[in-house]
Amino acid sequence: MSAARAPGRSLDTAVTYLSGVGPARADALRRLGIFTARDLFLHIPHRYEDASTVSPIAKLRIGDDVTVIGKVVSKGVLPTRKGLRVFQAVVQDASGLIEASFPGQPFLDRTIKKDDVLLLTGPVRFFHGRQLVPREFVNLGADEGATAEGRVLSVYPATEGFSFKQIRSLIERHLDEYLPLFTEYLPPEVIARAGVPPIGEALRAVHRPTSLAEAHRGRSRLAFEELLSVHVLQARAKALAREARAGITFTNRRELTSKLKASLPFELTGAQVHAVREIVADMCSDRRMHRLLQGDVGSGKTVVALFAALLAMENDYQVAMMAPTELLAEQHARTFTTLLAPLGISPVLVTGSLGAKARREAATLLAGAAPVLAVGTHALVQESTTFARLGLAIVDEQHRFGVEQRGALGKKGARPDVLLMSATPIPRSLALTLYGDLDVSVLDERPPGRQPVTTARRPESAREKVYAFVEKQLEAGRQAYVVLPIIEESEKLALRAATQAFEELRTGHFAHRRVALLHGRQSSDEKDATMRAFRDGTVDVLVATTVIEVGIDVANATVMLIEHPERFGLSQLHQLRGRVGRGAEESFCILLGDVSPETAGRLDIFVDTEDGFEIARADLQLRGMGDLFGERQHGETMFKVADPLRDEELNEVARACATELLAADPALSKKEHKAFHDVLRKRYARAIELFRVG
Ligand code: ADP
Ligand code: MG
């Protein structure tokens, strides 16, 4: 079949003009974001397999996570007792046989044929012998020797209606024809500095590699190009934003701030002093502050924010600090009440559950001209809340808010300075990449006197001993958290449910103790009441799902017992551990349960370090970025090939190159940069829209 001939061959040729692409396939390609020939060749394999990455079937052991390639020797659909239909295939390679099981996917029986060669990736479990439960599979068709000695298999992202095989053969068919049309657009000095191959060579290497190393070298060029582009765009956006960012010029009067410094019950850490200095410089400049204060749990962000607040107040401005929950807002209000008492200042609490009278009083204060420090929840951004003279907006635990809520607080005043705070430790380069126009201060030092949290992993067989240990802590007057991953018994996963654990503990081991339950299905009133009781010491053991408030400070809690630790990400475990170790007593974090050797290895990274940055890094490498951020942020989608974290070195080079490039040619308007400029404009039209200022 030969499609209508395109008017001359170019990279902008629509894919429908390529031979081998009919209307149905063109539709499928569109779903992959492929419209033109250029898009097709920039659709690169997301992974490669060769003899070194594929395991011989005979060597697989239970608990392993593996990739295998095997030919289907038999297959069929089996019903299970619970009515679930399971597609099963027995696959064979030169070394042996294994059964692969696809629960709930009986339809695969129609697409997978006997003698098809499958690439399967997933865990090996015990089920009447060894059984592979694929997380991902690719049907290679009748491709014998897919990874035979010396051969590298490129695996492309595919879609329904356009299989991996079809994509691969389409690219293979047209590669030689179109490759010469790719002309280099990166400036030569940049390519030389990064040490990556030119575009044509890179594309050949990613599509038709002769070795894994060659494939990765090709990929590095495309990753570098993305990183460079994003840095250039962001640096440019930042420069433009700076120009357009007129703001309040505060004066460092040192009236209230020096009083606070003198009356604080502790010395600031070096990191806190440094962050305060950066914030003061921002606020005293005529530009609007737009800063992220990032620091591990317990690093002392609140008091840094308080210095910023006082600087605004001594300039007769109002301050609003927004927290994600009432409990946290109340905690901040209490902290501020104590710390500011010597200065004769008391904060104003603004939450949804204020009585009518308190609400009226707060409204009067905010509408008045006197400087106030308002602490509250999203009630602060409700329409009915108005500020007469808001000069500084602070958002605590900023990642818990949506983009709009964060923005709304800043709109409550006339271009107030903005300080965002977050305990989610992300590496600096990533913060810049994700947030673009945002300066970052990092608290990378713990306040002194804080004891490390003793962390350990214990098997199921030690459960009684662990409970006895917890009991000893309770006897000494301490409190404990018991955390579980989900709330209802799920037959499939057979996890102990929080409700069930609660009943067991309440009537069993801790029958003589006050045990309370906290989970996501309770109303927020119920949750707040339980957290308050725990904070006030009228509950000894708090059984909870992960809804335990971020940032909540119960100094008397010294035990964090985590069930089914394998169900948590490392950063999540770290956040949970941060709930203890807040007082003077030694604290403990115990991971309880039997896990596979592989999971044990992952958990031990957490057991062995209390460095949130190190943990975040390991987590990112193991689980990818989505888990860390919960919601996808737009910065992330700018990368198709690169991963700013895994490609950290490349990312650093890209950043340096971007800086140099823009220093020499701020708007990339010179002739020698035109090709790159054009590519940027074309490829990142949407992103440029997002960054647009004014
Ligand atoms: P986070 O950064 O997690 O929000 P907080 O601001 O809640 O941390 O601080 C945690 C605890 O550490 C609080 O009880 C606070 O009073 C205390 N703290 C903060 N800075 C210091 C310091 N420099 N020295 C001693 N304790 C401090
Ligand atoms: Mg905090």
Side-chain angles (χ1 to χ4, degrees), residues 341-362:
L343 285 70
I345 297 174
S346 49
V348 182
L349 185 65
V350 181
T351 66
S353 63
L354 285 187
K357 181 159 170 281
R359 190 181 286 245
R360 260 198 316 277
E361 282 172 7

Side-chain angles (χ1 to χ4, degrees), residues 597-620:
E598 192 205 356
T599 303
R602 180 172 75 89
L603 293 176
D604 285 342
I605 299 174
F606 162 77
V607 171
D608 292 342
T609 179
E610 278 201 76
D611 181 336
F613 282 75
E614 199 175 306
I615 289 170
R617 181 175 304 251
D619 220 8
L620 279 166

Side-chain angles (χ1 to χ4, degrees), residues 9-12 38 41-42 177-188 191 197-203 221-222 225 672 674-680 682-683:
R9 181 186 303 138
S10 100
L11 290 173
D12 292 318
R38 177 185 292 102
F41 298 107
L42 289 174
E177 229 180 312
Y178 281 88
L179 214 49
L181 301 181
F182 278 91
T183 47
E184 188 55 66
Y185 38 84
L186 292 185
I191 292 197
I199 184 69
E201 194 183 317
L203 286 174
R221 144 73 199 225
L222 299 170
E225 180 179 320
E672 63 267 34
K674 181 171 185 308
F676 183 40
H677 193 177
D678 287 349
V679 166
L680 282 178
K682 214 178 248 169
R683 219 181 268 173

Side-chain angles (χ1 to χ4, degrees), residues 26-47:
D27 266 352
L29 285 170
R30 249 193 295 285
R31 280 200 298 280
L32 291 168
I34 299 171
F35 299 89
T36 64
R38 177 185 292 102
D39 298 337
L40 179 67
F41 298 107
L42 289 174
H43 184 71
I44 72 161
H46 60 305
R47 50 194 270 219

Side-chain angles (χ1 to χ4, degrees), residues 258-386:
S258 57
K259 276 192 200 152
L260 174 65
K261 206 163 178 191
S263 66
L264 268 187
F266 46 74
E267 288 279 311
L268 292 182
T269 64
Q272 284 172 321
V273 170
H274 188 74
V276 169
R277 235 178 247 149
E278 289 177 325
I279 290 167
V280 169
D282 277 1
M283 291 179 68
C284 294
S285 87
D286 55 1
R287 280 185 292 106
R288 193 176 177 189
M289 172 165 76
H290 199 181
R291 185 170 284 276
L292 172 68
L293 175 60
Q294 187 185 290
D296 205 353
V297 188
S299 58
K301 294 183 287 292
T302 317
V303 69
V304 173
L306 191 53
F307 276 94
L310 292 179
L311 174 58
M313 290 170 78
E314 66 189 19
N315 282 269
D316 291 328
Y317 278 95
Q318 299 175 321
V319 180
M321 174 159 166
M322 181 164 74
T325 64
E326 297 217 342
L327 214 63
L328 207 50
E330 285 174 19
Q331 179 179 297
H332 285 321
R334 248 195 329 275
T335 304
F336 293 159
T337 303
T338 313
L339 294 178
L340 297 179
L343 285 70
I345 297 174
S346 49
V348 182
L349 185 65
V350 181
T351 66
S353 63
L354 285 187
K357 181 159 170 281
R359 190 181 286 245
R360 260 198 316 277
E361 282 172 7
T364 309
L365 279 169
L366 302 188
V372 293
L373 170 53
V375 183
T377 55
H378 57 272
L380 285 167
V381 295
Q382 270 158 15
E383 232 171 276
S384 55
T385 310
T386 50

Side-chain angles (χ1 to χ4, degrees), residues 77-117:
V77 175
L78 296 181
T80 63
R81 266 184 301 139
K82 291 181 198 109
L84 187 72
R85 303 212 303 150
V86 182
F87 174 69
Q88 289 191 336
V90 175
V91 297
Q92 180 175 38
D93 70 3
S95 73
L97 293 168
I98 192 166
E99 181 177 82
S101 169
F102 301 78
Q105 301 175 64
F107 49 86
L108 290 179
D109 197 35
R110 275 179 276 132
T111 50
I112 296 179
K113 300 188 183 54
K114 188 161 174 292
D115 291 336
D116 276 353
V117 174

